[in-house]
Amino acid sequence: MPGRFAQAAVQGAVVETGGKRGAGTARNGTRRSCRGIIQRAGIPRDEIGMKRATWKSVDRLAHAERLCRGARVLDIGGRRMPASDPASRFARVYDRLRQAATEYRIVDIQDTEGVDYVLDLNQPPAVGELAELISACRPDVILCMETLEHVNCHYEVMNVLADAVEANGTVVFITLPNNRNWVLNAMGWNEDHCVAFFRDIADRFVSRSGLGRHAIERHACMQKYLWYWWVVYALAFGQPLSWGFTIRPRATASAGTQAPGEQR
């Protein structure tokens, strides 16, 4: 793929000339030549970090509920944790996703009531099973919230989701925990995570997978269903709880059309 080779050349050139601030002329000249290569190769500028991304603050569960409204939904990792109270405020708010959807199915590692498809996405064969499942049920919306940090096959899973966006026009919503929020770190919420994220790392994590070829809307995610989340937000000096990414086909995003789950 010529575009990818050009991208590698651009990244290499920027790294090689970035050693000293004093070499401003060389760096500026390299960046100008990089822009020419980018334009000729047709590489989206935001894909290689030359365009600063815009982050929109959202309530994570409220945004997910809007996407689910009137849609066929597949929720990857959507089963509550074993110790979670089914009568808790969180459980009741999360259940609004199921209520908003016309069809709601859950993929999870837990083989318990409420899970429609049991898959262990730490195992490569499960990724193929996920692809077959998505191809068969063709969901309008796929949720993958606070899940990829728990699994080993995260890039493989995101590539499967990217194929669903391309083949079916599916809208995908992914969230990843913000490890710059020291309060959540202190509470030990990341003890079973296999990867950790600051904002720009989370952005590259998603955009360098197959999802990067689609339109990505970026979110700083908060939660408002309990009063103390505002206290956490203040104590963390305004750091969100997680980073969110809504992915759509580029043609749909350019036209400003709504997927079934986004109809008001």
Side-chain angles (χ1 to χ4, degrees), residues 104-122:
Y104 181 79
R105 301 180 184 184
I106 292 177
V107 174
D108 206 284
I109 192 173
Q110 302 176 77
D111 188 2
T112 61
E113 183 181 356
V115 175
D116 299 281
Y117 309 101
V118 179
L119 293 179
D120 180 0
L121 295 174
N122 292 300

Side-chain angles (χ1 to χ4, degrees), residues 3-14:
R4 295 300 173 191
F5 287 119
Q7 177 177 346
V10 170
Q11 291 173 327
V14 171

Side-chain angles (χ1 to χ4, degrees), residues 89 222-233:
R89 174 67 176 165
M222 287 297 299
Q223 299 181 148
K224 303 176 183 177
Y225 60 88
L226 287 172
W227 65 267
Y228 58 67
W229 285 122
W230 291 106
V231 178
V232 172
Y233 185 68

Side-chain angles (χ1 to χ4, degrees), residues 122-135:
N122 292 300
Q123 307 301 324
V127 177
E129 295 177 41
L130 177 64
E132 293 175 3
L133 165 61
I134 291 174
S135 179

Side-chain angles (χ1 to χ4, degrees), residues 30 35 40 44-45 51 59 65 74 87 107-108 112 129 132-133 141 163 174 181 191 213 227 240 255 258 260:
T30 301
R35 292 190 182 98
R40 289 192 294 273
R45 288 165 60 87
K51 179 181 178 182
D59 180 307
E65 182 181 349
L74 185 67
V107 174
D108 206 284
T112 61
E129 295 177 41
E132 293 175 3
L133 165 61
V141 173
D163 290 341
I174 291 172
N181 188 311
E191 288 182 354
R213 66 180 185 262
W227 65 267
Q258 292 180 327

Side-chain angles (χ1 to χ4, degrees), residues 16-33:
E16 288 177 359
T17 59
K20 292 184 179 180
R21 289 288 180 184
T25 304
R27 291 193 66 187
N28 292 339
T30 301
R31 289 193 178 276
R32 282 195 294 270
S33 64

Side-chain angles (χ1 to χ4, degrees), residues 247-259:
I247 300 99
R248 302 177 177 85
R250 285 192 180 274
T252 301
S254 305
T257 55
Q258 292 180 327

